Amino acid sequence: KQEVTQIPAALSVPEGENLVLNCSFTDSAIYNLQWFRQDPGKGLTSLLLIQSSQREQTSGRLNASLDKSSGRSTLYIAASQPGDSATYLCAVNYGGFQKLVFGTGTRLLVSP
Amino acid sequence: GAGVSQSPSNKVTEKGKDVELRCDPISGHTALYWYRQSLGQGLEFLIYFQGNSAPDKSGLPSDRFSAERTGGSVSTLTIQRTQQEDSAVYLCASSLNRGTDTQYFGPGTRLTVL
C-alpha cells in the first residue's frame, strides 16, 4: 500500500529559526512529489514540485529535497516568519493516473 | 490569471438530499481532480478527469457519488442521498496536463450534512 507519513505532526518555533519538515513514503517508484501549505479554512497552495529525476528545488526561503532510495523528502524553511504559520502537506504522485497521495501534514506555528 | 474556483463555498444540507458541487479549473488545464478532506481521513483522492473522460474513478467512496466534466472545463461532483459521513471539504485541482505538472487547488466546498 502506498503511504505518506509526515513528522512531526506539529511544530512550534520562535521567529527567525531555520526548520526542517520531514516526509517519508513507501514505494520508491514515484513520479514526483509536491509540497503544499494550507491556511485554516483555505485551500492548498503549491510551494514546490520535485520531479523524480531531481534532488532538490528551491523557491525563496524554501528548499525541498528528495531521496527516492530512502523514501524521504524534506522541506527546509530558512529564517522562519509568523506568516509561515500554516499546515504543510507533502503529496506523492505515484504515476499511473497522477493522483496525489497526501501525508497527514505538519502544523507549524511561528511565534513573533 | 484566475485560479481554480469552486462553488458554493459552503453547503448545509439535510440527510437524504442530493447536492451538486461545481469546479471551474484554470483555463487551458486539461487535467482535473477531485479530493476530499475530512477530519478522520485526511486528504483523499476521489476522481481524475483528462479532458471530459474519467480514466480513474477509484476513489469514489460509493455509487452515490458521481462526477462529470463538460467541454473540457467545468466539472460537477454530485452526491445523492447524502449521509452524515459525507460531511467534509471537497477540493478540486487542475493541472496543465497529466503527469509532470503542478496541481493547483481551489478553495474548496465545505459540505455539512445534518
Side-chain angles (χ1 to χ4, degrees):
Chain A
K1 183 182 177 184
Q2 295 162 337
E3 292 184 344
V4 180
T5 306
Q6 291 186 247
I7 295 173
L11 182 62
S12 183
V13 300
E15 181 177 7
E17 274 205 6
N18 302 325
L19 56 100
V20 174
L21 307 181
N22 296 291
C23 172
S24 60
F25 48 91
T26 59
D27 189 352
S28 61
I30 72 170
Y31 206 80
N32 59 45
L33 183 147
Q34 199 165 346
W35 281 94
F36 295 89
R37 69 174 278 169
Q38 185 173 31
D39 295 281
K42 303 286 180 63
L44 278 64
T45 300
S46 178
L47 298 173
L48 289 163
L49 171 72
I50 310 178
Q51 303 294 348
S52 62
S53 58
Q54 298 174 322
R55 297 281 298 186
E56 65 179 304
Q57 280 286 336
T58 298
S59 175
R61 294 182 295 108
L62 305 179
N63 176 278
S65 67
L66 175 64
D67 184 343
K68 285 195 307 178
S69 61
S70 65
R72 293 179 186 235
S73 175
T74 61
L75 179 67
Y76 174 83
I77 303 177
S80 58
Q81 303 171 357
D84 295 331
S85 298
T87 295
Y88 289 80
L89 292 158
C90 163
V92 176
N93 181 340
Y94 283 102
F97 292 117
Q98 318 304 327
K99 65 186 180 187
L100 295 176
V101 178
F102 281 86
T104 49
T106 294
R107 192 168 61 254
L108 174 65
L109 176 64
V110 181
S111 305
Chain B
V4 178
S5 61
Q6 294 185 246
S7 60
S9 55
N10 279 285
K11 176 71 177 180
V12 179
T13 190
E14 294 180 347
K15 178 181 173 182
K17 301 277 191 182
D18 298 352
V19 295
E20 284 189 354
L21 312 180
R22 176 186 169 109
C23 171
D24 282 271
I26 293 172
S27 178
H29 280 196
T30 63
L32 185 147
Y33 309 79
W34 284 98
Y35 295 86
R36 178 169 75 171
Q37 187 172 33
S38 53
L39 280 176
Q41 301 296 324
L43 239 159
E44 54 184 349
F45 166 82
L46 297 178
I47 187 169
Y48 157 66
F49 286 91
Q50 182 62 39
N52 291 336
S53 63
D56 189 356
K57 305 178 183 180
S58 63
L60 294 178
S62 76
D63 59 8
R64 296 186 295 104
F65 287 71
S66 63
E68 65 175 11
R69 188 179 185 195
T70 55
S73 181
V74 172
S75 176
T76 303
L77 177 69
T78 301
I79 309 173
Q80 296 179 309
R81 305 181 303 281
T82 52
Q83 304 293 313
Q84 288 183 331
E85 61 263 27
D86 299 334
S87 296
V89 176
Y90 289 81
L91 292 162
C92 175
S94 70
S95 65
L96 187 58
N97 294 293
R98 53 169 271 176
T100 59
D101 301 304
T102 298
Q103 292 188 23
Y104 296 92
F105 281 74
T109 293
R110 180 175 297 278
L111 174 66
T112 303
V113 182
L114 301 176

